[in-house]
Amino acid sequence: MGAATEDPELWAFLASRHRGEILSGTIAAIERFGVFVALDDGPDHPIFPGVGFISIPELSWRRFEAASDVVQVGQRVSCTFLQFDTWNGEARLSLKATQPDPFQEFADNVRAGRRLRGQVTKLVPFGAFVQVAEGIEGLVPLQELTSTPVATPQEVVATGDEVTVTVTDVDRERRRLFLSRRQA
């Protein structure tokens, strides 16, 4: 069993938390696999730098390279409680759940057929990603890059290029935006 089972105060504290509850604390440590949060309320953790833990995907809606791009050690945070990790004896937290999802805000104002300007951010074998708003990227599939068939996106665009695209689909549930350069 994990360390929490040997610490009745910690176990009782974590077992009394509810999903969706807001917990506040201070960033205690940043690791490559996530961030430890020393919670304001409750006991200290017997092993880890904090009882709260935010996994990398729960840090932000926006794309980032390192956790330190989002938070700093010593920074105060308020997070949503997701679940009690009974093995590690920690409160799994989400920082992004306390913030509006920029994709949903974007989707409220955009429909298929809308023309947008954006910058090519990444080329992949099946197309190109284009940033059309702060934190919002969409995929232009290979067949939608140009009216003449190409084998690779590098034949028609490069990272950093400014392009005009047309929205072809907005998938709110999966948070995906599909674009066409051919239809623009």
Side-chain angles (χ1 to χ4, degrees):
M1 274 297 193
T5 56
E6 297 155 25
D7 187 325
E9 186 187 1
L10 176 58
W11 186 270
F13 171 75
L14 289 170
S16 67
R17 305 283 61 90
H18 304 286
R19 185 173 176 82
E21 183 179 349
I22 302 294
L23 300 177
S24 296
T26 304
I27 302 296
I30 297 174
E31 304 289 345
R32 63 176 175 70
F33 51 86
V35 174
F36 288 99
V37 180
L39 297 175
D40 294 344
D41 301 321
D44 289 334
H45 197 283
I47 299 168
F48 303 136
V51 168
F53 182 78
I54 309 168
S55 65
I56 296 297
E58 291 299 330
L59 277 172
S60 178
W61 291 108
R62 305 200 186 288
R63 191 179 291 193
F64 56 91
E65 295 299 314
S68 57
D69 294 341
V70 182
V71 292
Q72 300 297 317
V73 171
Q75 179 181 337
R76 302 271 313 139
V77 290
S78 291
C79 300
T80 300
F81 177 77
L82 299 178
Q83 68 186 49
F84 173 7
D85 178 332
T86 55
W87 180 256
N88 291 316
E90 61 193 18
R92 289 294 177 113
L93 306 173
S94 175
L95 185 58
K96 79 178 187 182
T98 64
Q99 304 156 353
D101 179 350
F103 187 88
Q104 300 305 334
E105 290 181 8
F106 175 81
D108 286 343
N109 300 307
V110 142
R111 298 283 172 268
R114 171 101 178 261
R115 288 176 61 151
L116 303 167
R117 291 279 299 157
Q119 185 176 42
V120 177
T121 56
K122 185 178 179 183
L123 301 179
V124 290
F126 50 86
F129 284 93
V130 176
Q131 181 173 327
V132 292
E134 177 64 35
I136 308 294
E137 286 184 338
L139 173 67
V140 180
L142 194 57
Q143 68 272 18
E144 293 295 330
L145 277 173
T146 180
S147 50
T148 55
V150 291
T152 67
Q154 290 86 341
E155 293 177 43
V156 285
V157 291
T159 302
D161 284 359
E162 287 287 329
V163 294
T164 299
V165 291
T166 299
V167 174
T168 57
D169 187 36
V170 180
D171 183 343
R172 281 179 174 273
E173 203 170 296
R174 290 167 48 207
R175 299 182 77 253
R176 292 195 176 147
L177 176 65
F178 295 95
L179 307 167
S180 171
R181 190 163 165 248
R182 189 170 56 87
Q183 294 177 33

